[in-house]
Amino acid sequence: MKLTTWIMSAIILLGLSACSNVDEKPEVEKETEETTPVSQEPVIEEVEEVVEEEVIVEEPEPLYQLNEANWTLEPIKDANPKAVLLTIDDAPDRYAVEMAKTLKELSAPAIFFVNGHFIDTDEEKANLKAIYDMGFSIGNHTQTHVNLKDSSEEQQKDEILKVNETVEAVIGEKPKFFRAPFGVNTDFSRSLVLQEGMLLMNWTYGYDWEKQYMDAASLTNIMVNTEYLTNGANLLMHDREWTADALRGMVEEFRAKDYDFIDPTTIKGIE
């Protein structure tokens, strides 16, 4: 009887165990959900189109015109009549850059007339460029400083055009002015200068090649107090040591007499 009871108990326990295993669900491992990026359209930044406006550089209005009767500069309309034009020949020999620096410091414009034989080397070309970059006008004074009346037309052409070519190669533009050595022109040179778009000019007075004026004090005195000083005077100077020394005092004394200095870019005929 006890044996029967034990067997029955074992059978019941086995049944319960089986039921327990059937009802219990196996644990399901959760999948890790990967986060998928949200698809986006590419962002296109709108770039505002920049339209470059054409910059129109207006040439200065002519304020003076050349009087070939005495080579002075006459005012146009309301330009100040009491003014003189500074010009320096035979540049850039030895003192032209120094002279340009002095004039720039004094805000005094001028024309530097260059000889071709002074712009042969790289150093000389750099001197020419330095003068131009300081804001000064460049003039043609021939290649070798010859007397044009003693030269053939072919020689005159070479003397004038060679300087134009060299100057243009160095500063990017041809000279605006022409002055013949010794003030001597020919019909051919006049025609060629006009064809090249240069303004032919001479001078009113100058003294720095005369022995008695080869020092700063005497040169300053004669240039500022000469009887030839007149409104619009076209002043001739050269690339010389004594002229370089006199330049500052000369400019200051002209201003003390209420003279202005003519900006070469405002002379009619070089537009």
Side-chain angles (χ1 to χ4, degrees):
M1 182 66 179
K2 288 182 180 180
L3 178 60
T4 304
T5 301
W6 181 87
I7 293 172
M8 289 297 293
S9 297
I11 291 171
I12 292 170
L13 288 172
L14 286 173
L16 290 173
S17 176
C19 290
S20 174
N21 288 338
V22 171
D23 293 339
E24 185 178 346
K25 294 181 180 180
E27 184 177 350
V28 179
E29 192 174 15
K30 293 183 180 180
E31 291 184 43
T32 303
E33 183 178 337
E34 294 184 1
T35 304
T36 305
V38 177
S39 177
Q40 296 181 348
E41 293 295 328
V43 178
I44 301 176
E45 294 184 2
E46 292 186 6
V47 179
E48 186 176 342
E49 184 178 357
V50 178
V51 179
E52 293 187 4
E53 294 184 3
E54 183 180 356
V55 178
I56 300 175
V57 179
E58 294 184 3
E59 294 293 332
E61 182 181 353
L63 299 178
Y64 296 89
Q65 58 188 0
L66 190 64
N67 180 351
E68 293 190 13
N70 59 7
W71 302 106
T72 61
L73 284 303
E74 298 177 341
I76 299 174
K77 296 182 180 179
D78 298 327
N80 184 8
K82 195 171 184 179
V84 295
L85 176 68
L86 301 177
T87 70
I88 298 164
D89 283 10
D90 299 342
D93 186 5
R94 297 178 61 187
Y95 303 97
V97 174
E98 175 189 337
M99 296 170 84
K101 288 179 179 178
T102 298
L103 291 173
K104 183 171 179 60
E105 183 181 336
L106 296 169
S107 299
I111 303 172
F112 283 78
F113 284 95
V114 303
N115 297 117
H117 59 241
F118 290 136
I119 47 177
D120 286 331
T121 68
D122 289 342
E123 181 180 359
E124 290 169 339
K125 290 174 183 177
N127 288 338
L128 171 61
K129 185 69 163 55
I131 293 169
Y132 176 77
D133 287 346
M134 279 187 267
F136 295 99
S137 296
I138 303 300
N140 182 328
H141 198 42
T142 75
Q143 181 67 23
T144 63
H145 204 273
V146 298
N147 188 321
L148 295 177
K149 279 195 174 178
D150 296 333
S151 308
S152 69
E153 290 187 357
E154 191 60 34
Q155 288 172 326
Q156 293 178 60
K157 184 177 180 180
D158 187 61
E159 284 285 331
I160 295 170
L161 296 187
K162 192 170 182 181
V163 174
N164 278 4
E165 291 169 2
T166 303
V167 169
E168 185 174 22
V170 174
I171 68 173
E173 65 180 30
K174 294 179 182 179
K176 304 284 189 181
F177 304 91
F178 176 80
R179 175 181 279 158
F182 318 107
V184 177
N185 284 285
T186 66
D187 290 341
F188 178 81
S189 70
R190 287 177 180 275
S191 175
L192 183 58
V193 166
L194 181 63
Q195 180 183 320
E196 285 292 298
M198 293 183 287
L199 180 64
L200 185 146
M201 65 165 50
N202 222 307
W203 63 84
T204 307
Y205 68 84
Y207 294 93
D208 65 354
W209 62 89
E210 297 183 22
K211 189 173 182 179
Q212 65 267 38
Y213 302 117
M214 291 183 180
D215 67 87
S218 61
L219 181 58
T220 298
N221 181 62
I222 190 65
M223 289 295 288
V224 177
N225 297 304
T226 179
E227 61 182 306
Y228 299 112
L229 174 59
T230 185
N231 288 351
N234 190 333
L235 309 183
L236 172 62
M237 294 175 284
H238 294 80
D239 182 333
R240 303 287 187 270
E241 182 178 9
W242 49 89
T243 309
D245 291 343
L247 203 53
R248 182 179 295 276
M250 196 184 303
V251 168
E252 290 173 348
E253 289 199 28
F254 273 119
R255 283 183 170 148
K257 287 190 167 189
D258 295 325
Y259 278 92
D260 281 340
F261 296 99
I262 295 170
D263 183 344
T265 65
T266 65
I267 298 175
K268 185 178 181 180
I270 63 162
E271 299 87 351

